[in-house]
Amino acid sequence: MRSLSLLALGLLLSGVACRRPDPEAIQKRADAKVQQAVTHVWSGELVLALTELAVVLDEAPQHLGALKVKTCVQMELGALDEAARTVTRLRALVPEQPEVVVLAELVEQRRRMLAPDWRESLILAWKHAGGPDLRDTEGFPEPLPDPKSFVDRVWERTQSVEVRFTAALADKASDVQQQWLAEHVSEIASPDLLPAAYEYFQPRPDDALKDIRLKARESLRRRLEPLVADANASEGPLLLLVGDSAKDVPLTREDIQALERIAALPRFRSTSLAQAGAAAKRRLESTGITPRPPSLFQAAAVSLSLDATVLLKKRVEATKEHLSTEDQIRLGQVLFTLGGRIVANSALVDHFVGLSLMRQGAELMDDREKLAQVTRDFEQARAVFQATSSLHVDSWPLPSLHRDWIQASLADEWKNLSALVAP
């Protein structure tokens, strides 16, 4: 009996001795720890992030994700010499990987900068690296999935309809949350939120909340009408003119006359992107939650309504075949002017939407000179969009960079992003 026990023990020890570490298990464990480190980065716990990364790199010294994040954390802490050493290790492993090339350039830019300007540093680093497209590369590790959405976290902190609605603009709200918002739209008092709410409750095909949305829009329309009656911005009047119409219904002569009055107003927006950002920040931070910069920008950008301009374009397409040459020119002038008002705003999407209206207007007027200029402006806008997409700023685990980038975009997104294609 004793010999059998010794044999079993021998086999057990032999099995332990022969067992080799499972590379896949090690990789999964390391990846999870790197994700945890990125989560710490976004919560401001940089020392904890470095602790997690040290454990990973002790077990897997060549873990690319850990080295990338470690370089970013060291830069965030201002430890630029240490960041340079870490990124040198990365370059030795993957010398041609695009984001590593840009990361190495960023470290050098940060070391050269006398004043800490993350935005300028990244733009210069990306350009010096040849402006690579970072969308399809391995990229930077992401944080762990948040068990609670941003909307849910805000929802728990406040009963304010305006704050909850602002959170819903920044992130996707559930059907239950959308229904609650629809039932409380009468409590939205801020004029800057009313057009956004009117668009937000646009009924959708096969929508279980269709009736609730329609009721909310009726309530919001009644409150918008007196506000836009004497407006000096065209956003609200245009929304009420075409916001509830079908996209294939031709414009009437009365509609065109109303559009002429709307286009004559001195500006398109009553609220700038910067003002929308400041309002969203104030509302969200009243809950004690500091939104991540991308969420703040999302809340601000989505609060600026544009659905009416898209619908107007479609209705013009349904109208132009029924117009005389004189009325086509007349409508074309309206669209070109209105599009120019939209382009004058700083948001990138305003440039695309405004230029689209201007092009449609130039085509109706058969004005080749104007059409050529709009085409050139479109090419510039596409170049800016392409560069912005290629840089993929949202993926970089650098909170200071995000703060600087979003602050610059809220102040003037077009100016901020155009720097990517400037000589």
Side-chain angles (χ1 to χ4, degrees):
M1 189 74 173
R2 184 169 178 273
S3 62
L4 288 174
S5 298
L6 288 174
L7 178 60
L9 180 59
L11 290 171
L12 177 61
L13 292 174
S14 174
V16 170
C18 294
R19 187 179 302 138
R20 305 214 184 280
D22 181 354
E24 186 176 344
I26 291 174
Q27 183 69 35
K28 286 183 178 179
R29 185 164 62 247
D31 290 347
K33 282 188 171 295
V34 174
Q35 282 191 289
Q36 182 62 66
V38 178
T39 303
H40 288 319
V41 169
W42 287 115
S43 62
E45 299 169 310
L46 300 179
V47 175
L48 279 177
L50 285 178
T51 301
E52 292 282 359
L53 295 169
V55 173
V56 174
L57 291 170
D58 184 57
E59 189 174 42
Q62 297 184 347
H63 193 287
L64 299 181
L67 290 169
K68 290 176 188 177
V69 177
K70 184 178 180 181
T71 304
C72 290
V73 175
Q74 289 168 331
M75 279 196 291
E76 187 76 23
L77 289 168
L80 300 179
D81 290 340
E82 290 89 337
R85 286 192 287 271
T86 305
V87 84
T88 298
R89 290 172 61 185
L90 262 173
R91 292 299 301 270
L93 294 170
V94 283
E96 303 302 325
Q97 195 173 96
E99 69 269 20
V100 173
V101 176
V102 179
L103 185 58
E105 286 283 353
L106 180 58
V107 172
E108 283 306 304
Q109 290 297 328
R110 297 295 298 162
R111 298 176 84 184
R112 293 173 190 165
M113 287 280 181
L114 296 177
D117 187 329
W118 285 93
R119 171 188 163 274
E120 185 179 350
S121 297
L122 181 62
I123 291 173
L124 288 173
W126 182 71
K127 286 183 176 181
H128 287 176
D133 191 338
L134 304 182
R135 287 172 295 180
D136 298 324
T137 63
E138 185 174 327
F140 292 92
E142 297 181 351
L144 292 170
D146 197 329
K148 282 185 182 176
S149 71
F150 180 69
V151 176
D152 287 342
R153 288 193 288 123
V154 170
W155 218 262
E156 293 175 350
R157 299 286 190 97
T158 182
Q159 291 285 322
S160 165
V161 181
E162 293 194 353
V163 177
R164 286 183 167 186
F165 177 62
T166 302
L169 295 176
D171 195 7
K172 182 173 175 56
S174 68
D175 283 355
V176 172
Q177 290 165 336
Q178 291 180 48
Q179 181 170 347
W180 186 91
L181 289 170
E183 292 169 352
H184 291 79
V185 289
S186 61
E187 299 170 35
I188 296 178
S190 300
D192 61 303
L193 285 181
L194 291 175
Y198 186 77
E199 279 197 353
Y200 186 83
F201 290 108
Q202 171 71 39
R204 302 161 193 167
D206 303 321
D207 188 354
L209 301 180
K210 181 179 179 180
D211 292 340
I212 294 171
R213 292 183 193 280
L214 285 171
K215 185 176 180 181
R217 277 173 69 90
E218 289 170 4
S219 170
L220 289 162
R221 186 179 183 92
R222 287 194 296 270
R223 297 175 62 202
L224 275 169
E225 285 172 345
L227 287 177
V228 304
D230 299 315
N232 58 5
S234 50
E235 175 185 28
L238 181 64
L239 187 62
L240 292 186
L241 178 66
V242 302
D244 285 326
S245 60
K247 63 183 180 181
D248 55 353
V249 175
L251 296 166
T252 65
R253 182 171 290 274
E254 290 75 18
D255 290 333
I256 296 175
Q257 290 173 343
L259 285 169
E260 286 177 322
R261 292 191 294 271
I262 290 171
L265 295 172
R267 63 182 188 274
F268 180 72
R269 297 241 179 253
S270 56
T271 301
S272 68
L273 187 58
Q275 291 169 328
K281 186 173 187 289
R282 184 181 65 252
R283 290 180 184 119
L284 295 173
E285 289 186 347
S286 70
T287 65
I289 296 173
T290 301
R292 281 184 56 183
S295 297
L296 178 61
F297 186 83
Q298 174 80 357
V302 176
S303 71
L304 304 179
S305 60
L306 275 172
D307 283 1
T309 58
V310 177
L311 184 56
L312 174 60
K313 275 200 69 190
K314 293 176 179 177
R315 290 194 61 186
V316 169
E317 287 299 315
T319 305
K320 60 185 183 181
E321 293 181 1
H322 306 287
L323 296 174
S324 65
T325 301
E326 180 183 348
D327 283 342
Q328 278 198 19
I329 293 173
R330 182 182 170 193
L331 181 56
Q333 290 171 334
V334 167
L335 295 176
F336 196 86
T337 301
L338 185 59
R341 300 266 191 267
I342 299 172
V343 169
N345 295 283
S346 70
L348 179 62
V349 67
D350 279 346
H351 274 70
F352 278 101
V353 170
L355 288 171
S356 183
L357 280 180
M358 292 176 74
R359 179 168 60 189
Q360 193 178 34
E363 289 170 348
L364 284 171
M365 290 186 286
D366 196 22
D367 190 320
R368 295 185 180 182
E369 184 177 342
K370 283 185 170 62
L371 187 57
Q373 182 59 55
V374 170
T375 300
R376 289 191 292 270
D377 291 343
F378 249 123
E379 290 173 358
Q380 170 75 0
R382 289 192 188 99
V384 171
F385 177 76
Q386 176 64 35
T388 305
S389 302
S390 297
L391 183 54
H392 203 31
V393 174
D394 287 352
S395 69
W396 291 68
L398 281 162
S400 293
L401 168 64
H402 283 247
R403 283 192 294 272
D404 282 3
W405 192 269
I406 295 302
Q407 184 178 357
S409 286
L410 286 171
D412 192 326
E413 187 184 20
W414 177 252
K415 180 181 178 181
N416 178 38
L417 301 183
S418 293
L420 292 169
V421 298

